[in-house]
């Protein structure tokens, strides 16, 4: 079967051998997202948190599936006091799918959603050692012909143990859609 990605009911070729879809998640996707995180370097949260995000923030979350299996996702929300910002809480891609542009497609799907019609900035926090994540967000800024402002956000001292790096804020925008 020829591989396609479905975005907002439109299809485009993503990979010649695989069929991928980008969808709004439902609560049933939460545990698979949690399992994907379990296998990655992302902060592990409770399964409840993913199920809750899928249920109450589906409009600003995207799940990528290959043959009905979750292979990537973003969980995000629009802060109530900053309606022009979408804050990316976590983005993850299964190791089998990395380096193919999937995370970039997931971010573009997110900002094209109706729920993001007033959004002009994308914000995320990234640890200094996470080169893949930094490359992803800088590429997003480049592709949208805008800037990526990096600043201190959550210093190490805020975290309860010594095992968490500081989190830097990556604020990308403004961008047009
Ligand atoms: C970060 C992550 C989501 C990127 O997913 P992906 O689908 O491989 O990303 P893309 O293919 O869209 O790549 C986007 C850009 O990042 C770059 N990139 C991806 N992985 C990279 C790596 N390990 N090192 C350096 N650059 C990397 C790509 O080369 C591309 O930039 P370019 O086109 O200028 O070369 C994925 O590596 C992942 O799930 N990591 C573990 C979880 C995590 O750290 N999430 C982010 C914190 S919230």
């Amino acid at each position: 079967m020829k591989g396609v990605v479905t975005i907002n009911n439109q299809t485009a070729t993503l990979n010649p051998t695989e069929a991928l879809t980008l969808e709004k998640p439902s609560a049933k996707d939460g545990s698979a997202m949690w399992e994907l995180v379990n296998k990655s370097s992302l902060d592990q949260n409770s399964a409840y948190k993913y199920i809750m995000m899928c249920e109450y923030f589906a409009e600003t979350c995207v799940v990528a599936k290959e043959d009905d299996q979750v292979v990537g996702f973003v969980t995000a929300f629009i802060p109530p006091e900053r309606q022009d910002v979408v804050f990316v809480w976590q983005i993850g891609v299964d190791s089998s799918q990395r380096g193919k542009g999937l995370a970039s497609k997931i971010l573009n799907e997110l900002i094209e959603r109706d729920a993001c019609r007033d959004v002009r900035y994308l914000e995320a926090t990234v640890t200094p050692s996470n080169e893949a994540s930094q490359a992803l967000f800088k590429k997003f800024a480049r592709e949208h012909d805008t800037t990526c402002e990096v600043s201190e956000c959550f210093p190490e001292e805020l975290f309860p143990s010594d095992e968490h790096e500081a989190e830097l804020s990556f604020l990308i925008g403004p961008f047009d859609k």
Side-chain angles (χ1 to χ4, degrees), residues 36 40-42 73 88-95 97-106 124-127 130-140 142-143 167:
L36 195 154
S40 81
S41 55
L42 284 168
F73 73 86
V88 168
W89 173 47
Q90 279 190 324
I91 182 162
V93 167
D94 187 79
S95 51
Q97 299 287 337
R98 288 184 193 161
K100 300 178 183 178
L102 181 54
S104 305
K105 285 188 165 62
I106 289 172
T125 73
V126 182
T127 55
N130 194 337
E131 289 178 15
S133 191
Q134 296 188 28
L136 168 67
F137 291 118
K138 285 180 179 167
K139 180 184 183 184
F140 180 86
R142 269 198 321 276
E143 284 196 332
E167 294 271 352

Side-chain angles (χ1 to χ4, degrees), residues 7 14 23 25 42 50-51 60 76 84-85 87 102 104 108 113 115-116 125 127-129 146 148 155 157 171 173 176:
I7 303 174
L14 178 66
E23 305 164 8
L42 284 168
Y50 297 92
I51 293 167
T60 49
D84 60 345
V85 174
F87 180 82
L102 181 54
S104 305
N108 284 319
R113 290 270 181 82
C116 291
T125 73
T127 55
S129 65
T146 191
C148 175
E157 308 86 78
L171 182 64
D176 292 320

Side-chain angles (χ1 to χ4, degrees), residues 55 110 117 137 174:
E55 178 69 17
L110 170 66
R117 61 189 162 280
F137 291 118

Side-chain angles (χ1 to χ4, degrees), residues 136-156:
L136 168 67
F137 291 118
K138 285 180 179 167
K139 180 184 183 184
F140 180 86
R142 269 198 321 276
E143 284 196 332
H144 289 272
D145 206 15
T146 191
T147 56
C148 175
E149 195 182 304
V150 180
S151 59
E152 285 188 15
C153 186
F154 301 132
E156 270 177 50

